[in-house]
Structure formats: C-alpha cells, structure tokens
Amino acid sequence: MIRPVSSLLEPKRRLGDLLVKRGYLSEEQVQIVLDEQRSSRGAKLLGELLVERSWASEEQVLECLAVELGLPYVKLDTRLFDAKIVDTLPRDVIEKHTVLPLFKVRNTLTVAVSEPTNVFLAEQLAEVAKCEIQIVIAAAKDIRRMVQTYLPNERVFVIDDIIDDAKEDSVRLIEASVEDIAGDAVAAGQSPIIKLVNYILYNAVKDKASDIHIEPGDRLLRIRYRVDGALYQSLELPMNLAPAVASRIKIMASLDISERRLPQDGRIHVLMERHPIDLRISTLPGQFGEKVVIRVLDNEAINMSLQQLGFSADIYEQFRQQLEKPNGIALVTGPTGSGKSTTLYSALNTVNSIESNVCTVEDPIEFQLSGINQFQTNEKIGLTFGAVLRSLLRQDPDKVLIGEIRDEDTARVAIQAALTGHLVFSTLHTNDACGTVTRLLDI
C-alpha cells in the first residue's frame, strides 16, 4: 500500500490560482508563465518557471502545491527527523531523488520529497524500503541541508571521523592560513579542529545561514544556525572541544587566544569554492566557556532582486513605488536577523544607476557594492553616523543609506535630509512597522 499516489493523481485546485489567492503572484504574472509553458510544450513545470523568474520562492510554490495535491508541507528541522532510520533508504537513492526518510511508525515510513508530482517515486521508495510510504513535501534545499548534516559527503567531510580525531588531538590549531574551506586537498592535510571549524562554516554557507551560534553547555557544545530568521540545531559536539574550537576561530580572526575573560570582536575572510565570504566574529565569556557568534556575510545574498525576497505582489508594488520617489525616508524595521540589511541592499541595487549619486554610511561596511560610494563610521575618533551624514550631505548625494538610526543626532539629520530633496534608506530596531513611530519618539 502506497498512500500518497491517489492524492497525487487527483489535484484539487490549480497551482496558479492558489499562488494568486495567497498574494504571492498577480494574475498577470501567472498568465505570462502559463503562456511560456504552453510555448515550450510543457518542457518545464509551472513552479519551475516561476522560481527561475524569481517571481515566487521554492517554499511558496511547494506550499501551494501541497494544497493542490492534498499532501502535508513541512519545514524540516531536527524535531521531525529520526536519525536512526536514515539508513532505511540507500544514500544514492536519497541523493538521486532528493528525498529524506523522516521517521517510521510500525510499517509506514514517512519520507520528505521535493518533487511530489513524480507519481512513480512513492512506488520506487516502497520497493527499496520494503514498507509502506507516506509522502510529505519539503524544499529541496532543506532536504539537502539535513542530508549534509546527518550524511555528510565523505569526499569532503566525514563529521564522525573529524570529531573522533579532534577528541584525541584537540590542541593542534596553529595552521592559521585561510584557504578555500570546501577544497578536498586542503581538508585532507589539516588538523581535526581545523577541519571541524571548516565543516561548521561550510554547512552554514550552504544552508544560507545568517548567523552561527557556538554555545558551550555543561555537557555538550551546541552548534546552531539561523536560517530565515529561525535558529535550528546543526550539531552537538563533546564539551572538551569547546576551547579548541573557540581558539581556532580566534586565530582565523586575529584575536587574542589567551584572553578568555573579556568579549572580543573580529572579522574573517574565507573562500568557499572560490567564492568570497566575510564573517563577523563576536566572543562573549559565559558560565561554561566562551560563546561565539558568527555573522555570515555572503555577497551573493545581497545581489538578489526585490522580487526574489518573497514579497507578495501588492506589497512589492507598493515598495517599488516608494523607491521611485525623488525624496523621503524609507525605514525597514524588525528584530535582529530578520533581513533588514538584505532588503535595503536589494533596494539599493534596484535604484542604483549611472545618473544617481548613491552613498551609504555603515558601521561596519558589510558588503561592497559596485557603483556605490560607501563610508564607514568610527566612534572612537568621533566619526559618528551623524557626523558622517552631515558631511555626506555636502557631497551632492541623491540617495543615501544609513546603516541604522541609533540616536537622536542621526535621526534628526536623516529626517532633515529626507525633507531637503534626498531619498534616505535606513533600519530601525523594532518588533514591527507600527513600532517605528514610538521608537522614533523614544529616540
């Protein structure tokens, strides 16, 4: 018995209609893609074309596809996954079809799949697993993330071997050169701690994590990634590795490894498959050792267009209209890690042109943007946001990005700039957009 096949053969509602109803697309966009699909004689699915055009995200398409097919859609995390049954399906089957066995109840195996429209897939999985199959839908990137964590690619990393080696040799971390962290040859000749830290960084970038939390406890060292604003656990390591992992990261960031009583901040520049990644490091002494938080700054993330950020059609159009105005102030608000900077950088990419003088005031400069003048503040010498902004307004800017409005001086100058013919972008730490007015009044 294979439960999901009948539901796959009897779609309830059309995918395009569901995407429009949920506000992810306009009817015009759906019609354009449908015409494109017809002209290609169905060579590609509707969802594939929408993702290729960046008109909808993979998650949005799968969410609506799940409704259409009458199947559950899940956002994968460790709570839905039983690592003991991962061997139910061979590794080559998991990779070939991008599937992941989640858990087994009696004789029914629940499997996450990324292509639920493949009506023969459930039969193939049932034949291999020798049990009944219950299908749920999950994003391909989430499945690959879980596979990389629990079935890491042996050609690059074997996490169990790395941890075992690191237990025996947790003090060798002197090799401080920063190379391509995904390279086979580099990983082969390094100490276990170096390979372990590289593994943590490599998976974080692959998962498109914005932050890495390395947290020592009384018994275990916990590694968590923040993806799409939510933290999820990636690894649990033996506690005796915590000092060595922290020291390795400090060496990479040129920090003082002998200082464990005071917080430290630094930066690391690494390569991943020849792609540059910047990492901001923050260490803070805690009850069981130093907690390390790493902010991952990937230039590819800020080269996205506004359409790729997942705005609904009506919100996207409203935001675009604001960006086209000659002056005013646009504030992007939300808690830490919610995507404020990514949204603003995407907006800057949208308005950047040869006819405009686009400038930024940041602390620090997170990403280097082509064709944009970027300036960094320095509080130690009095070069504050307000001071840089006042000088910048004498440089004939058209559009200005202020990294964050933190104080009264910055808020006053920003609003004055908006009232005198400049278009100003900035961020504000509030829980929602409605809290902006209260926050400005407090400032």
Side-chain angles (χ1 to χ4, degrees):
M1 175 183 177
I2 302 167
R3 299 184 181 180
V5 169
S6 60
S7 59
L8 288 174
L9 295 173
E10 300 174 3
K12 299 179 180 179
R13 301 186 61 177
R14 293 200 312 167
L15 176 62
D17 294 337
L18 289 166
L19 287 163
V20 171
K21 182 178 180 181
R22 291 174 181 245
Y24 296 147
L25 291 175
S26 65
E27 293 183 0
E28 292 77 14
Q29 288 175 313
V30 172
Q31 192 57 51
I32 290 171
V33 176
L34 286 173
D35 292 340
E36 182 180 342
Q37 186 185 33
R38 277 192 285 269
S39 65
S40 66
R41 297 183 179 180
K44 289 189 176 181
L45 298 173
L46 177 68
E48 290 179 307
L49 292 172
L50 290 170
V51 173
E52 282 182 6
R53 284 177 167 263
S54 301
W55 284 358
S57 66
E58 182 186 8
E59 289 82 359
Q60 291 170 342
V61 171
L62 289 175
E63 179 187 335
C64 294
L65 193 60
V67 176
E68 180 185 17
L69 299 175
L71 294 173
Y73 169 72
V74 297
K75 185 74 173 176
L76 292 181
D77 62 33
T78 53
R79 292 171 296 180
L80 287 173
F81 176 67
D82 182 2
K84 296 178 182 177
I85 57 95
V86 72
D87 294 332
T88 308
L89 296 176
R91 174 67 182 261
D92 58 340
V93 173
I94 290 174
E95 291 186 339
K96 179 181 178 181
H97 298 291
T98 315
V99 299
L100 181 68
L102 297 179
F103 51 85
K104 188 174 183 180
V105 179
R106 296 186 178 88
N107 196 42
T108 300
L109 177 66
T110 298
V111 180
V113 305
S114 59
E115 295 184 6
T117 53
N118 182 352
V119 295
F120 302 108
L121 179 57
E123 295 179 1
Q124 295 173 10
L125 297 178
E127 184 176 346
V128 172
K130 307 299 182 186
C131 63
E132 297 178 10
I133 298 294
Q134 173 68 52
I135 293 292
V136 299
I137 303 176
K141 68 176 184 180
D142 289 342
I143 293 176
R144 284 192 290 267
R145 183 195 75 212
M146 297 287 283
V147 170
Q148 181 62 30
T149 300
Y150 290 95
L151 290 170
N153 191 331
E154 296 178 6
R155 191 174 60 86
V156 180
F157 298 110
V158 184
I159 188 60
D160 290 337
D161 293 344
I162 292 173
I163 293 174
D164 289 340
D165 292 343
K167 289 178 186 176
E168 300 173 4
D169 189 12
S170 61
V171 294
R172 286 185 58 204
L173 24 94
I174 309 305
E175 302 160 56
S177 61
V178 178
E179 301 289 347
D180 189 329
I181 64 173
D184 295 0
V186 174
Q190 292 175 341
S191 77
I193 291 296
I194 291 177
K195 288 193 283 186
L196 176 58
V197 171
N198 285 356
Y199 176 88
I200 293 168
L201 299 179
Y202 176 86
N203 280 308
V205 176
K206 279 291 188 185
D207 291 353
K208 300 188 182 302
S210 61
D211 300 271
I212 306 168
H213 290 247
I214 301 172
E215 304 166 321
D218 58 344
R219 297 180 181 177
L220 292 170
L221 176 64
R222 182 172 63 176
I223 311 296
R224 294 194 293 172
Y225 297 156
R226 186 179 296 279
V227 180
D228 296 332
L231 279 170
Y232 77 89
Q233 185 162 305
S234 174
L235 289 172
E236 284 187 344
L237 304 174
M239 184 55 197
N240 65 328
L241 297 181
V245 170
S247 295
R248 169 59 187 162
I249 293 170
K250 285 182 178 181
I251 287 174
M252 295 175 73
S254 300
L255 300 178
D256 183 358
I257 65 171
S258 65
E259 180 55 76
R260 298 181 179 177
R261 300 168 300 170
L262 296 174
Q264 296 188 68
D265 296 307
R267 297 190 75 135
I268 302 173
H269 181 77
V270 299
L271 297 174
M272 181 172 154
E273 297 170 351
R274 299 184 179 180
H275 171 62
I277 304 289
D278 285 318
L279 307 170
R280 286 217 315 258
I281 311 300
S282 173
T283 69
L284 186 65
Q287 181 181 4
F288 301 106
E290 288 181 288
K291 175 177 178 178
V292 181
V293 176
I294 304 173
R295 170 63 58 91
V296 181
L297 304 174
D298 184 357
N299 277 283
E300 281 191 350
I302 56 96
N303 288 328
M304 293 190 299
S305 67
L306 286 174
Q307 290 178 321
Q308 290 177 289
L309 296 182
F311 285 116
S312 62
D314 55 338
I315 297 296
Y316 168 76
E317 190 57 39
Q318 292 177 38
F319 193 32
R320 276 284 304 181
Q321 291 175 6
Q322 298 301 316
L323 299 181
E324 293 171 358
K325 292 186 177 180
N327 53 60
I329 186 166
L331 297 176
V332 179
T333 67
T336 300
S338 59
K340 299 188 296 297
S341 296
T342 301
T343 302
L344 282 185
Y345 280 124
S346 298
L348 278 190
N349 284 331
T350 300
V351 301
N352 186 23
S353 68
I354 196 67
E355 295 86 10
S356 298
N357 178 17
V358 182
C359 304
T360 73
V361 183
E362 304 172 71
D363 179 28
I365 295 174
E366 294 190 355
F367 301 104
Q368 295 181 352
L369 303 173
S370 176
I372 292 177
N373 303 294
Q374 296 176 266
F375 305 94
Q376 182 164 324
T377 64
N378 189 339
E379 299 279 349
K380 295 180 180 177
I381 61 173
L383 197 62
T384 62
F385 273 102
V388 177
L389 193 51
R390 268 188 291 271
S391 298
L392 182 59
L393 293 178
R394 294 192 285 271
Q395 297 263 327
D396 186 33
D398 296 299
K399 301 173 177 65
V400 179
L401 181 145
I402 305 169
E404 182 186 347
I405 293 180
R406 300 177 178 176
D407 51 43
E408 180 183 355
D409 188 30
T410 307
R412 180 181 291 109
V413 179
I415 292 173
Q416 287 174 350
L419 294 172
T420 53
H422 305 88
L423 182 59
V424 179
F425 304 94
S426 190
T427 66
L428 204 62
H429 280 283
T430 66
N431 290 326
D432 51 38
C434 299
T436 303
V437 176
T438 305
R439 174 72 176 136
L440 287 174
L441 289 173
D442 288 341
I443 291 175

